[in-house]
Structures are given as structure tokens and as C-alpha cells.
Amino acid sequence: MDPPSPSPVRLSASSLGAFFYNHCEYFLLRRGTDRAARASSSSPSSATAGSHPTATPTLVPVPDLPDIESLTGATFARGVLFEDGINASIAAAGVGSDAADAVPLEMIADTVMALLAATASASDLAQRLDDRLVPHRELADSVDLRPGHYIYHPRFTGVPFQVPGVTWGSWEPDFLLIRPAPPGAPHDAPLEIVIIDAKSSKRLKLSHQMQVAFYALALAPLLDDVTVPAAALPPWALPHNAGPTIPLSALVPVAHVGAVWRPNAPLDVFRLSLLTDLLTDFIDTRLPPLVAAGLASADYRLAEVCK
């Protein structure tokens, strides 16, 4: 009789980000496996779990601790309050939109056409967006708002990753900043999308950066599938040899940098290329055999965060 197939694993930007922080295969699969599969899966054995203890530990009194789900819920609630505070500042400055139940790719397309409409050049576009923040300079400086248009909580479905045994849920970056392409950008588009996550954290973590990298990899191919009419765009913004319709990726590609907002800190901006390379390599080469072997065979690493 053939052994049962491993249970499907549901992964997300946050679970992949956490893996690159704690490097624990067991945690990654356990987090992504449903409760029924967890109950039937054994803990990692000493043969596969590094220094997994085999001796019976000495029991010592343990003080009462807050329930872990309560702690997680409190952390999540703190993060939501931080995100909502940033969004309130963006709304007060009049430089953003709440995606709510909108179709995010349509919202991006509408925003691009609105920003480019009636502009005479790239410098004209940049000046107009700078001018929008002038009446709100103190507010903009307090939360490090950059010129452009912010979209809050766009929710997307579909990813370009095909891994047997893995399913992916919807994914939701905290903010997309549609801004003028800066000098030296590695593309010829008039605009670009900077993906920003808000983290109520004292320091920038690799897990935060990997979440942004996941969003960048997932969003880029979606922009190829949506087009806008060339007739609605100013001539200076049209790509070379433009046809009657222009893909969004030619007007507003994903930027080569991502960013993280943290409380009382300047916006953390970082290059994405190394992070997306690491993530792509992991998903293409390491994740398939890990999922195929299943939770019971996964190695674990007792990181500081687990102690």
C-alpha cells in the first residue's frame, strides 16, 4: 500500500518571511498545515531534528504566562492601529486611496491615468506631486510621506509560483506608493510602484523585507495582464513603438526598492534584487522536496525567538 500523500500546505508572504527569520522548516510547514493534519503528524524525530532532546527533562515550576493567542492577537491589533494611523495621515494629506472592496489592478490603472493626465513632461509630473504635499508639509514630515499616490490594503489573488502540494491565499500589501520614476531607475516607465509594509517594530527584520520581496514577485507579472488606452495618455509618457493599448508594466512597473514603515522612524528603503533572488531560489529548489517529505520529516531550529 502506498504511503499517504503529505497534506497540502498553505503558505503566505508572512509565513515565508518568518522562515527567513527563524530558518525552521518544521515551523514553516506546521504553520501552513491545517489543524487536522497537524494532529496526525508526529514531531520531528531525533534522527532528523538536530539536537532534539531524548532524555526526560527535569520539571520546574513555571509561572503563569499570558495565553499565546492573546499575545499574538495583541501584537496584531497594535499593528492594525499603526497601519490605520498612517492611512489617516495619508487621507488627511489627500494623497491616497483606501482599496477597500475595489479591484486593485483597476485601481492602479485608474490612478496611473489620473496622475499622468494633462502632464507635459516627467518634471511636470514630479512638480505636481511635490506641490500636493506642500500644504501638508508638517504632517508629511511626521510620517515620512513621499510624493506620489498611496493605495491602502489592495488585496490580490494569484501568484506566479507553482509548487506541488502548496496553495497560496490572497495577499495584501499594506501600501502601494505610485510615484514618479526616480533618476537612474532601471526602466523607462514614467511611474513605478514601491511596495511598503507597515510594521509596529523597533527594528527592521529580514522577515519584513522578505514579505515585501514576495509581494514584488507576485505583483510584477499581474501588471503585464492589464492594459490602458494609449489615447488617454500624454505623448511623453508613451513607451517607444506604443500600440493602441499599453500594459501597466510599461507605465508603472514594480520598483527595484521596497520599504517598511516603523513607528517614530524614517521609512526603511532597501534594494529588492538579492531578496527576490533568495526567495525565488527557495521556492523553486528547496520548497518542493520539503513539502513532499512532509511535516514529520522536517528539520527544526530552536531559534532565540522560540526560547
Side-chain angles (χ1 to χ4, degrees):
M1 181 176 180
D2 294 334
S5 300
S7 299
V9 175
R10 190 176 184 85
L11 297 182
S12 65
S14 60
S15 59
L16 286 175
F19 172 78
F20 280 89
Y21 179 63
N22 58 37
H23 299 283
C24 182
E25 297 175 352
Y26 186 76
F27 180 80
L28 176 69
L29 293 189
R30 182 176 176 181
R31 190 173 180 181
T33 306
D34 61 33
R35 291 183 182 276
R38 285 185 209 169
S40 64
S41 300
S42 62
S43 297
S45 67
S46 58
T48 62
S51 58
H52 185 66
T54 55
T56 302
T58 301
L59 300 180
V60 296
V62 177
D64 290 337
L65 296 173
D67 180 74
I68 187 63
E69 291 188 1
S70 298
L71 289 173
T72 302
T75 300
F76 178 78
R78 183 180 65 186
V80 170
L81 287 173
F82 177 54
E83 294 171 16
D84 286 346
I86 295 173
N87 191 45
S89 297
I90 291 170
V95 294
S97 308
D98 192 328
D101 297 323
V103 179
L105 290 171
E106 292 181 4
M107 195 172 194
I108 293 172
D110 291 343
T111 300
V112 167
M113 289 191 290
L115 291 179
L116 293 176
T119 56
S121 64
S123 59
D124 181 30
L125 169 66
Q127 187 63 56
R128 292 186 186 202
L129 293 177
D130 284 342
D131 290 345
R132 290 206 307 175
L133 284 179
V134 169
H136 312 282
R137 180 54 58 194
E138 185 175 348
L139 174 62
D141 289 345
S142 68
V143 291
D144 200 8
L145 294 182
R146 309 292 176 90
H149 191 88
Y150 294 86
I151 297 178
Y152 183 47
H153 273 185
R155 176 171 293 180
F156 300 89
T157 57
V159 296
F161 321 119
Q162 301 296 325
V163 180
V166 174
T167 61
W168 308 89
S170 60
W171 45 280
E172 190 172 336
D174 291 332
F175 298 92
L176 301 180
L177 170 59
I178 301 179
R179 70 174 189 181
H187 57 77
D188 297 325
L191 298 161
E192 64 181 17
I193 297 174
V194 179
I195 298 169
I196 307 175
D197 240 27
K199 299 294 182 184
S200 183
S201 175
K202 293 181 179 179
R203 61 188 179 90
L204 179 65
K205 300 176 183 177
L206 180 60
S207 56
H208 304 159
Q209 295 173 298
M210 294 307 291
Q211 277 189 251
V212 174
F214 176 92
Y215 297 141
L217 286 174
L219 178 57
L222 298 183
L223 299 174
D224 292 327
D225 298 331
V226 179
T227 60
V228 297
L233 300 170
W236 73 268
L238 294 174
H240 183 62
N241 292 331
T245 59
I246 313 296
L248 276 182
S249 56
L251 297 170
V252 61
V254 175
H256 72 294
V257 297
V260 168
W261 248 315
R262 295 182 297 113
N264 305 312
L267 196 65
D268 292 303
V269 181
F270 46 88
R271 293 182 65 88
L272 286 173
S273 55
L274 177 60
L275 301 171
T276 53
D277 286 348
L278 285 172
L279 188 55
T280 300
D281 181 68
F282 174 78
I283 292 173
D284 288 347
T285 63
R286 188 172 171 188
L287 185 58
L290 178 61
V291 172
L295 180 60
S297 300
D299 198 357
Y300 79 95
R301 177 177 181 269
L302 185 62
E304 188 65 31
V305 71
C306 306
K307 296 179 181 179

